[in-house]
Amino acid sequence: MIRSEARRFYALRKARPVAGKSNGPVDRLVEREEHHPMNYVTQADRMLIGGELVHASNGAFDLSIDPATEEVIGRVPRATVEDVDRAVRAADAAWPEWFALTPLARSRAMRDFGKALRARSEEILKVEVADTGNTITPMRGDVGFSVDSLDYYAGLAHELKGQTIPSTHENLHITLREPYGVVVRIAPFNHPLMFAVARTAAALAAGNAIVVKPPETSPLSAMILSQIARDALPPGIFNVVTGDGRTVGNALVQHPLVKRIAFIGSPQTGRAIQRAAAEVGVKHVSLELGGKNPFIAFPDVDPERIAEAAVRGMNFAWQGQSCGSTSRLLVHADIYDAVLKRVVEKVRAIRLGDPQSPDIGMGPVNSRVQLEKVLSFFESARTDGARLMTGGKRPDGPMFERGFWVEPTVYADVEPGMRLWQEEVFGPILSVGKWRSFEEAVEKANSTEYGLTAAVWTNDVNDALWMVRKIRAGHTWINGSSAHFIGVPFGGMKSSGVEREEGIEEMLGYTETKTINIMLPKG
Ligand code: NAD
């Protein structure tokens, strides 16, 4: 860390700490120095309902804190159930006109929305890094990916086609695709802005109006997004309501005017949403959930390449808080020691520090809840007998006394009976295990409840394809990991989710089919 950054970092620590990420209603923000980079965040504290930037109807706020320092960096409205109702009704009133636009006109509006986002990308980036703890360099891609997704789906709007079906020769049988109307998007904390934009673009293109519920521990970028969407889109087409999942999220899920819910988050919450939705109506819920993703290394690949890809695949740059983190590295016995040695060297070399600094490799985990969860895995790995290779504790030094810091960690000899093998950490812990036969590799890869992603590394295309086809995962790479490609469907099997996002099928998933049978007079 360069000296001026270090000074700023230590200065931040002097501010008043708070106990958790979200701290309940407040009437006043912490006073801060004029030059503080986060000052403006405190001014952007309104959500977007029906084209208006508003506070909660009862005036309540939640605080958000910087996980590197535990310092308050902003506040967001704590929406009430009445606010949720207003947002849904605004969306319901707005979508018919949006859908009535030509696909070209909708596409233009979406592209303009993207341009407006790009114009404020530096500001969004700083806020997002401060609010999530994710490091700045890779986070630069999030706004870009969001804008690209808006462009991609804008370009697909003419693909909202139906069919003609030759059921009879006398009549005409056709289908049309119609939007659900109101689409609710509930987002997790690891990429808040990206999920709020890139993962609503398909629904917008299909003619729906959106209500976004940002994560409670990293909601600040949604305040900037609210300003941009207000100016770029017609009133009511894009709404943002902030608050906790059990109140705001649940009120959205159970609202009678909401039939389509798109969720990204943990399997537990996904199932709770399915239950809550089913209690009140017939609803379409799509789920993008957690992963415990295997990375299978064959002995014909250079151990250095494996180690480099496996560490990259873990996404330590956002503290392993990635659904696609390759958190189970399964290495053939012949190269196990060679790969393990290199993996440990690379993980030890990751620099912890201020995530706003471009040369830092890992920041703090997102919240106290996340911190405690990661620490509990250190404990269970110890009692389960996994071999600690590096990390496994909070970092030493005054800089890390405050904030949600843990060391990047590697355990070796992890086995299917261990908690670390079975449960998603969503944190910076890489587990390494061993295989000898193809069958053993497949059995181990498939031995968890998850099925999100898998990576297979070998120079033999036949082995690679054999292995990939045996693994129950929705998104796989041969000699790759972690990367998403626009237009290529992403999503999980087993408890990792239902349906696919990021391709054309996501857009079609925000439509309902209407069949029209045209009964032609005979003749
Ligand atoms: P989470 O499930 O705790 O929360 C996600 C969102 O759901 C938050 O906005 C939260 O407020 C809301 N929520 C919570 N309870 C709710 C309820 N009862 N009704 C409605 N909404 C509710 O997840 P998280 O901790 O924010 O994120 C981590 C999880 O997300 C991990 O499991 C990770 O793998 C997963 N994830 C999956 C993908 C993917 O594409 N498959 C991408 C990123 C993250």
Side-chain angles (χ1 to χ4, degrees):
M1 189 186 297
I2 58 174
R3 278 175 71 189
S4 60
E5 281 162 349
R7 264 202 304 277
R8 185 173 71 75
F9 197 66
Y10 283 107
L12 289 179
R13 286 168 191 289
K14 290 185 191 142
R16 185 184 68 170
V18 292
K21 276 286 288 178
S22 187
N23 237 28
V26 288
D27 54 8
R28 166 180 94 77
L29 286 180
V30 173
E31 294 294 324
R32 55 176 76 256
E33 304 147 55
E34 212 169 288
H35 67 269
H36 192 283
M38 288 298 117
N39 255 343
Y40 57 86
V41 175
T42 62
Q43 289 150 25
D45 61 0
R46 287 163 198 262
M47 53 191 182
L48 181 61
I49 297 181
E52 286 179 23
L53 295 172
V54 295
H55 286 149
S57 49
N58 66 1
F61 291 96
D62 283 317
L63 294 177
S64 199
I65 63 172
D66 179 341
T69 61
E70 299 181 58
E71 185 199 30
V72 175
I73 53 170
R75 66 179 187 177
V76 296
R78 180 188 283 192
T80 61
V81 172
E82 291 72 38
D83 297 327
V84 168
D85 183 55
R86 275 199 303 131
V88 172
R89 286 184 190 284
D92 191 53
W95 75 262
E97 224 171 294
W98 176 246
F99 177 52
L101 294 174
T102 61
L104 215 52
R106 270 204 309 280
S107 301
R108 268 192 216 110
M110 289 174 64
R111 290 200 176 95
D112 288 348
F113 181 29
K115 280 182 204 139
L117 268 170
R118 205 187 283 286
R120 289 180 73 178
S121 55
E122 278 303 305
E123 181 189 351
I124 293 169
L125 177 68
K126 286 221 165 63
V127 171
E128 196 83 307
V129 169
D131 207 23
T132 59
N134 298 347
T135 61
I136 194 161
T137 303
M139 286 302 278
R140 281 189 185 284
D142 277 28
V143 171
F145 190 77
S146 304
V147 177
D148 286 350
S149 298
L150 283 164
D151 286 350
Y152 167 71
Y153 285 110
L156 279 186
H158 274 101
E159 295 302 316
L160 290 156
K161 296 170 185 165
Q163 295 177 312
T164 58
I165 300 135
S167 181
T168 64
H169 288 291
E170 296 78 24
N171 306 306
L172 191 55
H173 311 276
I174 64 173
T175 60
L176 303 177
R177 290 189 175 275
E178 295 187 353
Y180 277 95
V182 182
V183 171
V184 163
R185 164 58 74 190
I186 300 178
F189 66 77
N190 56 340
H191 297 282
L193 187 280
M194 189 181 82
F195 288 134
V197 177
R199 300 277 65 82
T200 53
L204 279 177
N208 299 279
I210 311 293
V211 185
V212 173
K213 210 299 270 168
E216 46 269 75
T217 59
S218 303
L220 295 181
S221 60
M223 300 295 95
I224 302 172
L225 175 62
S226 293
Q227 296 176 350
I228 297 168
R230 185 211 35 190
D231 297 340
L233 293 169
I237 289 303
F238 198 96
N239 303 275
V240 176
V241 280
T242 40
D244 72 298
R246 274 161 211 250
T247 312
V248 174
N250 188 60
L252 285 168
V253 167
Q254 295 204 314
H255 198 288
L257 293 175
V258 173
K259 184 171 178 187
R260 183 71 175 90
I261 299 138
F263 174 72
I264 306 176
S266 64
Q268 295 82 347
T269 309
R271 290 168 60 189
I273 286 174
Q274 281 181 320
R275 272 195 302 274
E279 269 170 19
V280 295
V282 173
K283 304 200 180 213
H284 178 171
V285 181
S286 55
L287 302 172
E288 290 293 343
L289 308 175
K292 192 76 198 182
N293 309 301
F295 180 125
I296 301 173
F298 280 63
D300 64 340
V301 185
D302 175 9
E304 178 62 24
R305 283 186 66 213
I306 299 284
E308 199 271 325
V311 173
R312 189 161 20 86
M314 262 304 291
N315 296 317
F316 283 109
W318 39 92
Q319 300 73 248
Q321 296 167 142
S322 170
C323 57
S325 288
T326 49
S327 54
R328 286 185 301 145
L329 174 58
L330 287 165
V331 187
H332 190 273
D334 289 356
I335 54 167
Y336 186 81
D337 291 337
V339 170
L340 184 59
K341 175 172 168 286
R342 288 167 175 79
V343 164
V344 172
E345 282 167 8
K346 289 179 195 309
V347 173
R348 274 200 190 121
I350 293 171
R351 291 182 64 202
L352 237 62
D354 180 359
Q356 303 276 1
S357 168
D359 56 352
I360 285 299
M362 191 175 121
V365 296
N366 182 262
S367 65
R368 185 167 296 286
V369 170
Q370 282 301 111
L371 173 68
E372 312 249 302
K373 189 171 164 206
V374 174
L375 296 178
S376 82
F377 274 96
F378 292 158
E379 183 56 31
S380 58
R382 200 178 55 76
T383 49
D384 285 349
R387 182 155 57 106
L388 178 64
M389 304 302 296
T390 186
K393 62 178 180 63
R394 300 198 63 173
D396 300 321
M399 179 175 162
F400 302 114
E401 275 165 17
R402 196 162 282 159
F404 309 132
W405 299 94
V406 285
E407 290 186 347
T409 297
V410 180
Y411 287 98
D413 306 342
V414 183
E415 290 291 337
M418 298 178 184
R419 178 178 174 226
L420 198 49
W421 185 283
Q422 294 294 338
E423 290 182 29
E424 182 186 41
V425 180
F426 212 60
I429 307 182
L430 174 56
S431 303
V432 189
K434 196 181 286 182
W435 62 276
R436 288 183 179 78
S437 69
F438 280 25
E439 290 71 20
E440 185 190 5
V442 170
E443 196 185 322
K444 284 188 164 174
N446 285 338
S447 64
T448 75
E449 68 163 311
Y450 294 102
L452 189 58
T453 76
V456 173
W457 279 67
T458 170
N459 294 314
D460 186 321
V461 70
N462 295 322
D463 286 350
L465 287 172
W466 183 91
M467 183 73 76
V468 153
R469 295 183 69 177
K470 295 276 179 202
I471 293 173
R472 299 283 296 156
H475 199 88
T476 66
W477 299 270
I478 293 173
N479 299 333
S481 71
S482 212
H484 291 228
F485 303 96
I486 213 147
V488 178
F490 183 88
M493 295 179 175
K494 296 157 76 180
S495 295
S496 289
V498 284
E499 303 198 14
R500 298 292 176 268
E501 298 189 337
E502 303 183 35
I504 188 168
E505 61 195 276
E506 182 184 354
M507 183 178 73
L508 303 181
Y510 295 115
T511 64
E512 297 186 282
T513 298
K514 177 174 282 173
T515 302
I516 306 179
N517 295 294
I518 305 171
M519 314 310 282
L520 301 172
K522 286 208 174 95

